[in-house]
Amino acid sequence: MEIDGKEYVLKYTFRMYYVYEEARRESYNGGVLGTNFLFFCCLTINNDGFRMNFEDFTDYLDKNPNKVYEFIQFLEANSTDGKKKAATERD
């Protein structure tokens, strides 16, 4: 996926959920904040060259909301149950 002019790998792993849960001290349950943070975790753990902090990443997503929808499609295509409803409610 291209983010801010650079190509990054999205890889569906348990590690992105582990990092998410460690940082937030809760399981991933969707929602806007949760989905954006899981997206950030996915990029961070799978791309050594990803250097944005979460605040800058959020600013980027504000300007490029289509990237969130691309990530939601990625989650839905890769989730084991195919029923994840990400970012459909507010945290």
Side-chain angles (χ1 to χ4, degrees):
M1 175 179 287
E2 187 176 308
I3 303 283
D4 204 24
K6 296 179 183 174
E7 195 67 33
Y8 295 103
V9 173
L10 290 182
K11 185 176 176 185
Y12 191 87
T13 65
F14 288 116
R15 185 177 304 279
M16 71 182 186
Y17 288 102
Y18 298 152
V19 170
Y20 174 96
E21 290 180 11
E22 180 71 22
R24 299 235 15 226
R25 302 281 188 226
E26 64 185 20
S27 296
Y28 173 71
N29 291 314
V32 175
L33 178 60
T35 299
N36 289 352
F37 192 70
L38 185 64
F39 189 6
F40 180 76
C41 292
C42 183
L43 288 166
T44 300
I45 66 164
N46 291 303
N47 298 278
D48 290 335
F50 186 73
R51 299 285 182 241
M52 281 187 187
N53 61 39
F54 188 65
E55 185 174 332
D56 291 340
F57 182 64
T58 301
D59 289 343
Y60 176 80
L61 294 180
D62 283 341
K63 296 173 188 168
N64 300 277
N66 61 313
K67 296 299 181 179
V68 176
Y69 296 112
E70 287 179 42
F71 182 69
I72 292 168
Q73 290 175 333
F74 165 79
L75 283 180
E76 290 174 345
N78 289 285
S79 68
T80 54
D81 63 5
K83 296 179 182 176
K84 292 266 184 208
K85 290 192 176 186
T88 56
E89 58 189 50
R90 292 188 169 262
D91 281 336

